[in-house]
Amino acid sequence: MRYYIITGASRGLGKAMAEALLQDEQNCVLGVSRNSTITHPRYRHQPLDFSDIAGVEHNLHKVFAQLPDAQKIVLVNNAGVIGEIGYIGQSQNEHFEYVFDVNVIVPAMFMNMFLQSYQHRQDCDRMIVNISSGAGQKAKDGWAAYCASKAALDMLSQTAQLEQEQLGTGVKVFSVAPGIIDTDMQEQIREADVEQFRSVQQFRDYKTQGALASPEEAAQKIIRLINEPQIARGVVCSVRDF
Ligand SMILES: NC(=O)c1ccc[n+]([C@@H]2O[C@H](COP(=O)([O-])OP(=O)(O)OC[C@H]3O[C@@H](n4cnc5c(N)ncnc54)[C@H](OP(=O)(O)O)[C@@H]3O)[C@@H](O)[C@H]2O)c1
C-alpha cells in the first residue's frame, strides 16, 4: 500500500489531494485537522488542533504508526493559516504565535516524527512535501507572520533534505508553492481592509477574472510532483515550474 499523511485534508487543497489519491485503490490517506469531512473506506482521520501544541504532542504517536506493508509513505504538511491580516505594530501579539504554531512548529514536529519513524525504512519510498507559498520569498504588506512562516518552512525543508542526503536515507523533501487557489484562504484575503493590505484589489480581480486555480487542478500538480520528483527544480519549488 501507499500511505499519505495529509494535514488540512478537511477542505481546500488538502481535501482535493486526499480525494484524488483515494481514487487509486493502492492508496490510503490519513487526514489530520480539526474537522473531518471525508468518508471513505481507505481514509482515516486524526482530529488535531495545531494551535494546541500540548494536544498535538500528546497525539503525535497516533499519526506516525508502523506501516509494515508500505511501498511508499508521504507526509504532506498542507494545513496553513494566513491569520489576521494587518501591519506589524497594529497586531495582537498572540497572532504571531498562532500563525507560527500552525504553519511552522507543528509541520516541523511532523517532519521530525516522520523521519524518526520512517527514515530507516529503505524498503519503501519516503517523501515529505511541505506546502509553502510564493509569499515565503516575496514580502506582502499585512502578511508578515504568514510570509515569515513560509520562509521558515522553505529553510526547514532545505535543511532536512541536506541532512537526509548526508545520512543516505533516500528520503526526499520538497517545499512547494501551489499557486493561487480558489479556497477559503483566498476568500479571507479578499475581505482584507485596503489599509491593512494595499494589493487587496489585485486579489479581488483574480477572482472576478477567473485567474484562480481550482483546488483539484492544484492538487493534480502536487500529486505529479510526488509521482515524478525529478520535475522539481530544487527543494524549494513552485507548481509554475511543472
Ligand atoms: N489558497 C491559496 O491561494 C494558497 C496560495 C499559496 C499557498 N497556499 C497554502 O496551501 C495550503 C492549503 O491552503 P488552502 O488554501 O487549501 O487553505 P484552506 O482552504 O483555508 O484550508 C486550510 C486547511 O488547514 C486546516 N487548518 C487550519 N487551521 C488549523 C488548525 N488550527 N489545526 C489543524 N488544521 C488546521 C483546515 O482544517 P480545519 O479547519 O478542519 O482544522 C483546512 O483543512 C496552506 O498551507 C496555504 O498556506 C494556499
Side-chain angles (χ1 to χ4, degrees):
M1 294 299 286
R2 296 184 286 257
Y3 292 91
Y4 298 84
I5 300 162
I6 304 179
T7 69
S10 61
R11 52 195 160 90
L13 174 60
K15 183 172 187 178
M17 280 195 69
E19 286 180 333
L21 288 165
L22 286 166
Q23 286 173 20
D24 185 328
E25 59 185 28
Q26 290 299 308
N27 293 342
C28 290
V29 176
L30 170 64
V32 191
S33 57
R34 291 168 300 184
N35 302 291
S36 172
T37 64
I38 299 175
T39 306
H40 190 282
R42 281 177 278 107
Y43 178 81
R44 185 165 77 78
H45 191 81
Q46 177 60 50
L48 276 185
D49 180 350
F50 291 6
S51 65
D52 171 12
I53 296 293
V56 172
E57 290 255 27
H58 192 70
N59 288 287
L60 269 178
H61 68 281
K62 297 179 188 166
V63 177
F64 299 95
Q66 282 188 19
L67 302 168
D69 63 338
Q71 295 163 341
K72 181 167 184 154
I73 314 173
V74 181
L75 167 64
V76 185
N77 271 319
N78 161 80
V81 290
I82 194 154
E84 199 79 23
I85 293 176
Y87 280 28
I88 305 182
Q90 299 167 26
S91 303
Q92 301 285 328
N93 284 332
E94 297 77 22
H95 160 74
F96 300 101
E97 188 177 7
Y98 166 63
V99 173
F100 268 74
D101 280 352
V102 177
N103 293 4
V104 184
I105 306 297
V106 173
M109 289 162 66
F110 272 45
M111 289 171 73
N112 192 42
M113 284 300 294
F114 180 92
L115 291 170
Q116 270 180 37
S117 307
Y118 309 126
Q119 70 183 351
H120 303 297
R121 287 286 301 272
Q122 306 270 3
D123 57 320
C124 66
D125 287 346
R126 289 132 305 138
M127 186 184 289
I128 297 172
V129 178
N130 292 324
I131 305 297
S132 185
S133 168
Q137 312 267 330
K138 189 166 184 290
K140 291 202 181 298
D141 68 313
W143 297 21
Y146 183 75
C147 290
S149 71
K150 293 301 188 182
L153 198 57
D154 288 350
M155 190 47 82
L156 268 170
S157 309
Q158 287 179 285
T159 309
Q161 179 64 83
L162 178 68
E163 291 173 355
Q164 294 308 302
E165 280 166 16
Q166 283 171 355
L167 291 170
T169 63
V171 177
K172 287 198 163 54
V173 186
F174 293 103
S175 194
V176 57
I180 305 176
I181 319 161
D182 198 0
T183 64
D184 294 349
M185 185 177 280
Q186 282 296 324
E187 201 174 318
Q188 189 191 341
I189 292 167
R190 288 193 297 275
E191 285 166 2
D193 187 328
V194 70
E195 295 297 314
Q196 303 295 332
F197 175 39
R198 299 296 149 99
S199 314
V200 67
Q201 190 55 45
Q202 189 186 351
F203 281 75
R204 291 174 186 157
D205 292 344
Y206 288 151
K207 175 69 175 173
T208 52
Q209 292 164 3
L212 300 172
S214 69
E216 292 73 25
E217 286 166 336
Q220 284 308 329
K221 291 187 177 177
I222 307 293
I223 291 169
R224 188 165 165 235
L225 170 68
I226 293 171
N227 292 332
E228 302 168 51
Q230 69 279 7
I231 64 174
R233 289 195 185 161
V235 173
V236 178
C237 57
S238 166
V239 297
R240 290 195 177 90
D241 303 336
F242 320 152

